[in-house]
Amino acid sequence: MHLVERFRRTISEWHDTVAVSHEDQRVSYGELGRLTANVSAHLLRQGLERGDRVAILVANSANYIAIYYGIWAAGGMTVALNTQAKARDIVNWTRHAGAKWLFVDASHPELDRISELTKDTIEIIRVGKHNDSDQGDEIWQGIVKSAESFPEIALEESDLASIIYTSGTTGQPKGVTLSHANLAANVDSILSYLKLNHTDSIVNVLPFYYSYGNSILHTYIAVGAKLVLENNLLYPHRVIERISNEGVTGFSGVPSTFSLILGRVKLENYDLSCLRYLTQAGGPMPPAITDRLIDTLPQVKLFIMYGQTEASARLSYLPSDKVLEKRGSIGIAIPGVTLEIRDKAGNVVAPGQTGEICAKGPNIMRGYWLDEEKTNQAIVDGWLHTGDLAHYDEDGYIYIDGRSSEMIKSGGNRISPKEVEEIIQEIEGVQEVAVVGVKDEVLGEVIKAYVVPAVGANIDMRAIQRYCKQNLAVYKIPKFVELVQVIPKTASGKVQRFALQKMHEQNGS
């Protein structure tokens, strides 16, 4: 059963139950269903045809959920975009996807620039009201005030449902294409080990445009559970207060989420007796953080998880009763998925030997949007090659050894070094630049840029960071910038990123 059918069933069964609690707003499943139907009806009146792409640049909210499911109910494909991105990235994504509509928060700081760059090539629907004005929200208010029925459009599980962009924003975007069947399979697998039902609730701090947050959204909607939204972690005490005050049963985060909370909040001062489970993904969890969580919340089940956007989110999980016994492991394959660790020749390795994680299952993506070459590199004979290196133990539990790709993972964000390099290269006086991820206790990795100045150029390192701030999302701005005379390369001219990382470790900064 695809997720739109499940959503409609949830609306019927839990019509008056709270679906979303956000700030001072509580929205029932019935209210959420009405807004979803109105979004669908609007898009269909505007000429949406089956398979058309519709982009979403909206913060986590009931509006976001209604837009997302409304696009699906109308037969369209969702293109959920990073709300922290700059206009140039947003426009590049929408053009690459061929999106005909863009739902965007009326208060989004890049809205004017987006409108200027698109030059009426896409219909922009401003969601809600601007902070200091009612201007620009007429279409959305019309959607909110209408009273429509769900369209009777029969979706097939094989239909394409979503494009999620993972990297390459300033160059060639990399859009993971997922079908309705992919997403439904991911939900089924997660529900089978978390045992969620309509009595559950979660305080969610993860953005819905990421695969992890997207997965949380769909699993909770599928069973009629409650989503309590906190859209940032600036005030971790507030997040824990919401967990306590709302009697929440679940909480999910990336490693830096838990590191921040443990560092700033005395959890023992809060009533967390309703909290049943925690899940972690988005990068390797330091065992020391795992230990502290277990010591602080011994009554709470902790699930360590691993996955990729290309797998609709999830590939493996470590059962909560194995967390201490298999310390540092990402666990075993989720139900319905097969994982193998293979050497370069494609042979399954023996326990203790390192190889690449390969995955097969109904949740594996259909491919990269408009990129057959990258698709064929990633999926070979039906197996997803993750690029992550790992080994088994004697019991078949998997341990990550490293990543074969150059992607930087910082606080759960995946960042392409090329994206940052292309921006810095635009700065006058920069001859050459190489970007790497360097270790950080809180975020896992942070970005460091090595810059070779042009002859006679006087480069201000802070000016580089300011320029990046103007053109990149906050999490893509280099924390460190170092001027060097030469960037180490191989004989074929490829940058030796490992040498730069080693240089950083040796210098201690």
Side-chain angles (χ1 to χ4, degrees), residues 342-367:
R342 300 177 178 178
D343 60 21
K344 292 183 179 180
N347 302 310
V348 177
V349 302
Q353 295 183 352
T354 295
E356 182 184 13
I357 299 175
C358 298
K360 190 172 187 178
N363 60 332
I364 302 303
M365 69 171 181
R366 294 282 291 274

Side-chain angles (χ1 to χ4, degrees), residues 128-257:
K129 297 180 180 180
H130 192 275
N131 292 335
D132 56 2
S133 171
D134 292 342
Q135 186 177 4
D137 67 338
E138 293 86 356
I139 295 176
W140 178 252
Q141 289 305 312
I143 292 172
V144 171
K145 293 175 182 177
S146 60
E148 306 287 351
S149 300
F150 262 94
E152 296 299 326
I153 294 177
L155 299 175
E156 301 294 333
E157 292 197 351
S158 59
D159 288 345
L160 297 180
S162 296
I163 300 173
I164 301 177
Y165 284 99
T166 62
S167 67
T169 56
T170 58
Q172 178 67 15
K174 189 176 179 182
V176 172
T177 306
L178 303 173
S179 69
H180 285 287
N182 292 152
L183 293 161
N186 180 68
V187 166
D188 286 339
S189 296
I190 294 171
L191 292 179
S192 70
Y193 64 81
L194 288 187
K195 311 297 183 187
L196 297 178
N197 61 50
H198 75 278
T199 66
D200 278 301
S201 56
I202 188 171
V203 166
N204 180 66
V205 297
L206 300 171
F208 290 149
Y209 57 74
Y210 275 154
S211 184
Y212 191 4
N214 188 254
S215 179
I216 290 170
L217 168 62
H218 298 319
T219 50
Y220 272 75
I221 291 290
V223 296
K226 181 172 70 174
L227 290 151
V228 180
L229 305 181
E230 282 288 334
N231 287 348
N232 62 63
L233 269 171
L234 288 176
Y235 305 102
H237 291 86
R238 177 176 173 176
V239 172
I240 302 304
E241 285 173 0
R242 292 294 298 277
I243 293 175
S244 176
N245 295 341
E246 300 256 3
V248 162
T249 62
F251 182 75
S252 299
V254 298
S256 59
T257 305

Side-chain angles (χ1 to χ4, degrees), residues 250-370:
F251 182 75
S252 299
V254 298
S256 59
T257 305
F258 296 109
S259 178
L260 179 66
I261 287 173
L262 288 170
R264 296 191 183 180
V265 183
K266 291 185 177 181
L267 296 178
E268 60 271 19
N269 292 343
Y270 295 85
D271 178 7
L272 303 178
S273 57
C274 292
L275 191 62
R276 181 172 66 82
Y277 79 91
L278 302 172
T279 70
Q280 176 272 319
M285 176 82 107
I289 298 297
T290 300
D291 294 344
R292 287 183 63 191
L293 279 174
I294 293 172
D295 289 343
T296 308
L297 300 169
Q299 80 284 3
V300 179
K301 293 182 178 180
L302 172 62
F303 294 87
I304 304 295
M305 308 187 304
Y306 160 80
Q308 290 191 336
T309 305
E310 289 84 347
S312 308
R314 201 59 51 230
L315 285 171
S316 76
Y317 79 106
L318 182 62
S320 59
D321 59 354
K322 295 287 186 180
V323 171
L324 291 177
E325 178 186 349
K326 301 294 183 180
R327 192 170 182 267
S329 172
I330 60 167
I332 55 177
I334 64 172
V337 169
T338 301
L339 296 179
E340 292 183 352
I341 300 178
R342 300 177 178 178
D343 60 21
K344 292 183 179 180
N347 302 310
V348 177
V349 302
Q353 295 183 352
T354 295
E356 182 184 13
I357 299 175
C358 298
K360 190 172 187 178
N363 60 332
I364 302 303
M365 69 171 181
R366 294 282 291 274
Y368 296 113
W369 183 252
L370 302 181

Side-chain angles (χ1 to χ4, degrees), residues 35-47 70 74 146-149 151:
L35 183 55
T36 301
N38 293 345
V39 170
S40 293
H42 173 80
L43 290 171
L44 290 169
R45 282 196 300 269
Q46 296 302 309
S146 60
E148 306 287 351
S149 300

Side-chain angles (χ1 to χ4, degrees), residues 368-504:
Y368 296 113
W369 183 252
L370 302 181
D371 201 327
E372 185 177 356
E373 181 181 354
K374 280 192 176 70
T375 298
N376 292 336
Q377 291 171 355
I379 301 178
V380 181
D381 296 328
W383 287 83
L384 173 67
H385 288 245
T386 66
D388 288 323
L389 305 178
H391 67 273
Y392 298 112
D393 68 9
E394 293 292 340
D395 298 320
Y397 284 78
I398 300 172
Y399 296 76
I400 295 286
D401 294 324
R403 295 193 302 278
S404 60
S405 69
E406 296 176 345
M407 295 296 291
I408 300 168
K409 274 196 173 181
S410 181
N413 298 300
R414 296 182 69 194
I415 304 158
S416 167
K418 184 180 177 183
E419 293 180 51
V420 185
E421 289 166 356
E422 288 174 348
I423 295 298
I424 295 176
Q425 197 67 59
E426 294 176 358
I427 300 173
E428 185 176 353
V430 173
Q431 177 177 307
E432 194 175 9
V433 58
V435 166
V436 296
V438 296
K439 293 180 181 178
D440 183 82
E441 290 183 359
V442 175
L443 297 176
E445 286 184 321
V446 293
I447 300 171
K448 181 168 185 176
Y450 288 89
V451 176
V452 178
V455 176
N458 183 19
I459 293 181
D460 180 351
M461 289 183 283
R462 291 185 178 179
I464 292 175
Q465 290 174 316
R466 286 197 299 270
Y467 187 81
C468 289
K469 187 176 181 179
Q470 293 169 1
N471 292 282
L472 292 168
V474 172
Y475 61 83
K476 297 179 184 177
I477 300 170
K479 182 176 181 179
F480 304 106
V481 178
E482 183 174 339
L483 302 182
V484 294
Q485 293 183 333
V486 64
I487 291 174
K489 298 183 181 71
T490 65
S492 62
K494 293 182 179 179
V495 173
Q496 293 181 315
R497 298 183 193 275
F498 72 92
L500 294 173
Q501 291 168 325
K502 187 175 182 180
M503 186 189 309
H504 174 85

